[in-house]
Amino acid sequence: MLEAGSGPAIESGVRAGVNWRVNAERARDDAGNVAFEAARQPWSTWLVDQERPRGRIMLMLLIPVSLGFLLTDLRFEGPERNLYITLRSVYVVLLIAALVALYRAKTPAMVHGLCGLAAFGVALFCCVRYGLGHGAAGVPGHLATDVVVMLAIYMVPLHLLVQVLVALLLSVASAYGYIVWQGVEGAAATLLAMTLLLAHVLGFGGSVALRSSLRKRYDALRNLHGHMLELDRAERALEHLAYYDPLTGLPNRALLFDRLGQMVVRAERHGGRFALFYIDLDRFKFVNDTLGHQAGDALLREASRRMQAVLRKSDTLARLGGDEFTLIVEDVKSPRDLDAVAAKIIQAMQQVYVLEGREVFINASVGISLYPDDGRDVATLTRNADTAMYQAKQSGRGRFMFYAPLMNAENERRMQLEASLRRAGERGEFLLHYQPRTELATRRIRGFEALLRWQDPLNGLIAPAEFIPLAEETGLIIPIGYWVIEEACRQLAQWHAAGHRDLGISINLSGRQFQDPELVDRVACILTDLRLPPDCVEFELTESVLMDNAERSLEQLERLRALQVTIAIDDFGMGYSSLSYLKRFPIHALKIDRNFVSDLVTNPEDAAIVRAVLSLAEALRLQVIAEGIETEAQHAHLLAQGCPEGQGFLYGRPTGPAEALRALELDRRLRPAGRALRVVEPGAPAP
């Protein structure tokens, strides 16, 4: 069954959702990796890590200063010596703690704070140390103050040239201390000044790197947030595509079966009954093929809206696919309660649809199964509801049926019949019987109608009414139909070769075969290969076949008329009888349905209809053939009304080709004069 609107939209949506999810997860992983690597680096790369420039610079500052202080000889005596030893021990402990803290720091803010704390600790220790050794102002240029000022300058975002100049001045001042004091103190002061100068030069680039790192992390987090939102939207879209039909917005097959399974579990636990409806839209394929897929999609959306309007909120309506819907009705007290639900659905579907400015009419066939009467599991309930729906279709469409166990037996037989039908052509089980068409005035055989029969090895001769609908449904009617055309024409060619060149043949065309684009070309090839006159071949079509798609039918009829074959309307009066199509279509003959002929003598209404058809055909210059003539009274009545031809059991039953030939030869000996079926163009005088 055709899936309208379903194929491209679902694939595109799923593909987009998957791409969103993959990209979002990749971005999340990348951002997480950046954050993790920035949070904790191995010791071997920590010293040269551009993500932590302040930690590198502080090590460059602390190591030489610490060496200078620790290597300074202890010239203090008394309380100063003990205080210095204590301060030096505290400094060493603080230095180790600062280094460990720097290594374990997990954010740039923590690194920045620890570096600043350690730097001011060094400055304080310098002040105390030089203060003890030379008095409060014993250090030229106040080296300790230089350190504090230098660190403050480093913390403030000044221009690189300004930082270098300040560091240079402080280095000159510190170098002056080396000249004055000489010794280890001067060397330490000079080393400290040069270290600060280098630290400032590198610190500017380090601060830029830090700001760049922070910007990258901020951008990564912002992108991560955006990708997470995109991932959430993608997950929602994927969930909707997974459980809802994109065309109608109804639950799809997956969600339906999930809810149906929950209903079964709940009903088993607490008792109760519920019903499962299978709903199929009749003639949807015709609308979809005629008006296009957009009109078909619009029809499906409107149909789902109408069904939802007549259902309760507690009922679950879902779309299985194509033109099939399902419905779960909870809390069923009695099966009679479901009659009203099914009737409302069918009535809603029968209302006119306006698609692309055209009025369209469809119907619905509904099958119903009940829990636990018709099944205690999901598979059984769905199978039985589907079976009931197909029974409703076969019973005339536009109706609802409850599941009955006998339906399964019928379905089993139908499946076996279909399997046998698919092999019947290969096995040569099809055959044709021929029923004579007779001129009423002379009772002379003017031709035969070819009727398909199936001789099944197991079931014997199967009636056409049993297997022809199945062949139509499965599409097997097209190859079977071409076999019928070829075989009937071959038999007619043999009869012509035997001297009966005035004979014609009538062949029934199914709706699917009539719409086949290859029909005209195939017929032309058969007539050419067998060298048959085209006007000896007549194709019979029902009114419903012609009106199923009037514009396409007109085009196909024109192509057939170009071959010079004749066209007859079979079962006239039982379908879309209309003067308009009789005038438009290139039709040559009308066949009065047997239902009007059977009670012709006793029923005045049937007699009036037959007279009307004969008058109509005479006005339109069409031939008329009456079907189902079984009594002499019917023959006499039709002859009196001016009917030229007829067929029925009165003149002969359908027989095989050999019996038909014997009847033909006997007829020719008794009635030698005659003429064959000939083309009567619309508008020309009737023969």
Side-chain angles (χ1 to χ4, degrees), residues 256-257 260 276 278 369 377-387:
L256 168 75
F257 286 138
L260 195 57
L276 178 64
Y278 259 49
S369 63
D377 58 82
V378 174
T380 304
L381 286 170
T382 54
R383 182 176 63 251
N384 292 341
D386 190 43
T387 298

Side-chain angles (χ1 to χ4, degrees), residues 15-76:
R15 191 180 300 111
V18 170
N19 290 337
W20 289 344
R21 183 163 192 158
V22 170
N23 293 336
E25 290 182 348
R26 185 182 295 119
R28 181 186 62 188
D29 294 342
D30 293 343
N33 292 336
V34 169
F36 178 79
E37 293 298 331
R40 189 178 186 90
Q41 294 281 355
W43 181 264
S44 60
T45 61
W46 191 78
L47 292 175
V48 293
D49 183 15
Q50 292 296 329
E51 298 290 334
R52 293 182 178 181
R54 296 185 186 277
R56 187 183 68 250
I57 294 167
M58 287 309 303
L59 282 179
M60 294 175 64
L61 174 65
L62 292 175
I63 291 174
V65 172
S66 301
L67 290 175
F69 290 150
L70 295 176
L71 294 176
T72 301
D73 56 338
L74 301 179
R75 296 177 303 167
F76 306 113

Side-chain angles (χ1 to χ4, degrees), residues 408-660:
N408 278 339
E410 179 64 25
N411 280 347
E412 288 292 334
R413 185 178 184 281
R414 187 172 178 275
M415 291 178 60
Q416 294 177 359
L417 193 66
E418 179 181 347
S420 300
L421 184 62
R422 292 184 179 277
R423 296 188 295 268
E426 301 174 359
R427 297 174 177 176
E429 297 172 2
F430 292 123
L431 51 91
L432 291 182
H433 283 184
Y434 300 90
Q435 186 175 28
R437 283 178 48 175
T438 305
E439 185 178 9
L440 297 187
T442 63
R443 297 206 181 197
R444 178 182 173 84
I445 296 176
R446 298 193 59 197
F448 289 93
E449 180 179 359
L451 302 172
L452 179 64
R453 298 292 185 264
W454 178 15
Q455 186 69 45
D456 185 67
L458 298 179
N459 301 310
L461 195 64
I462 300 177
E466 189 172 357
F467 72 87
I468 291 296
L470 182 60
E472 284 268 10
E473 182 180 339
T474 58
L476 295 172
I477 194 63
I478 293 181
I480 293 174
Y482 284 127
W483 178 87
V484 171
I485 295 174
E486 186 171 1
E487 183 65 22
C489 290
R490 181 178 292 109
Q491 184 60 60
L492 180 62
Q494 293 177 4
W495 287 336
H496 281 192
H500 305 291
R501 304 192 66 84
D502 60 342
L503 204 64
I505 196 77
S506 297
I507 304 170
N508 290 278
L509 285 181
S510 68
R512 295 189 68 166
Q513 188 170 22
F514 176 64
Q515 298 295 344
D516 184 18
E518 299 181 1
L519 173 66
V520 177
D521 294 335
R522 294 283 294 271
V523 171
C525 289
I526 292 172
L527 295 176
T528 302
D529 293 343
L530 297 175
R531 299 180 180 179
L532 273 180
D535 59 355
C536 292
V537 178
E538 181 179 82
F539 289 109
E540 297 183 9
L541 296 160
T542 63
E543 296 170 274
S544 58
V545 168
L546 289 176
M547 297 305 296
D548 198 26
N549 188 335
E551 297 301 325
R552 187 181 299 177
S553 297
L554 177 60
E555 180 183 351
Q556 193 80 316
L557 288 174
E558 292 289 353
R559 296 182 64 200
L560 286 172
R561 183 172 68 170
L563 294 180
Q564 296 184 347
V565 298
T566 60
I567 305 295
I569 303 299
D570 197 13
D571 302 333
F572 182 76
M574 300 300 294
Y576 299 89
S577 299
S578 170
L579 294 178
S580 63
Y581 86 79
L582 288 178
K583 182 176 66 173
R584 291 179 59 200
F585 293 163
I587 298 168
H588 306 93
L590 303 177
K591 299 190 73 172
I592 302 176
D593 187 72
R594 66 181 62 251
N595 290 317
F596 301 124
V597 175
S598 59
D599 295 330
L600 175 67
V601 178
T602 59
N603 191 322
E605 288 81 6
D606 287 343
I609 292 174
V610 171
R611 285 196 302 272
V613 172
L614 290 171
S615 299
L616 176 64
E618 183 180 3
L620 296 176
R621 295 180 173 84
L622 300 175
Q623 290 180 299
V624 179
I625 304 99
E627 295 182 296
I629 302 175
E630 299 180 357
T631 66
E632 290 291 344
Q634 294 169 348
H635 172 90
H637 191 100
L638 288 167
L639 183 60
Q641 295 294 328
C643 182
E645 288 188 42
Q647 67 183 82
F649 290 168
L650 179 64
Y651 314 114
R653 293 178 177 273
T655 59
E659 292 83 357

Side-chain angles (χ1 to χ4, degrees), residues 145-332:
T145 306
D146 292 347
V147 174
V148 176
V149 174
M150 186 73 75
L151 290 173
I153 293 173
Y154 173 69
M155 296 297 178
V156 178
L158 297 176
H159 193 273
L160 176 62
L161 182 60
V162 177
Q163 292 188 6
V164 171
L165 290 176
V166 173
L168 184 59
L169 291 174
L170 293 178
S171 300
V172 172
S174 299
Y176 176 73
Y178 173 76
I179 298 173
V180 173
W181 300 312
Q182 299 179 357
V184 179
E185 294 90 341
T190 302
L191 181 61
L192 175 60
M194 298 305 296
T195 302
L196 288 174
L197 176 61
L198 181 61
H200 275 286
V201 174
L202 297 178
F204 180 78
S207 63
V208 173
L210 177 62
R211 286 194 296 269
S212 176
S213 173
L214 292 176
R215 170 58 63 181
K216 289 181 181 178
R217 295 185 188 186
Y218 170 75
D219 292 340
L221 291 175
R222 184 176 62 181
N223 292 336
L224 176 61
H225 176 70
H227 284 300
M228 292 301 293
L229 292 178
E230 196 171 326
L231 176 61
D232 183 66
R233 288 194 297 268
E235 289 178 344
R236 291 176 182 272
L238 284 174
E239 182 179 1
H240 193 273
L241 287 173
Y243 295 110
Y244 289 90
D245 174 49
L247 180 64
T248 62
L250 297 175
N252 62 7
R253 180 186 297 268
L255 184 56
L256 168 75
F257 286 138
D258 179 71
R259 293 184 180 178
L260 195 57
Q262 295 177 13
M263 289 289 299
V264 170
V265 172
R266 191 182 309 121
E268 288 179 349
R269 185 176 304 166
H270 304 291
R273 306 171 76 185
F274 66 89
L276 178 64
F277 285 52
Y278 259 49
I279 306 165
D280 186 85
L281 303 184
D282 302 327
R283 299 185 74 246
F284 170 76
K285 185 179 185 301
F286 163 71
V287 175
N288 206 45
D289 293 344
T290 304
L291 301 181
H293 293 288
Q294 290 185 351
D297 292 347
L299 177 60
L300 290 174
R301 286 191 292 267
E302 176 62 17
S304 66
R305 187 195 65 79
R306 292 185 183 185
M307 283 188 279
Q308 287 177 297
V310 299
L311 298 176
R312 303 175 302 178
K313 292 184 178 180
S314 59
D315 300 332
T316 299
L317 179 66
R319 182 185 175 216
L320 285 182
D323 58 352
E324 289 189 349
F325 296 82
T326 52
L327 171 66
I328 303 175
V329 179
E330 303 182 27
D331 301 326
V332 176

Side-chain angles (χ1 to χ4, degrees), residues 96-115:
I96 295 173
L99 294 177
V100 174
L102 283 171
Y103 170 68
R104 299 184 62 84
K106 295 185 178 181
T107 64
M110 293 176 62
V111 174
H112 184 82
L114 290 171
C115 290

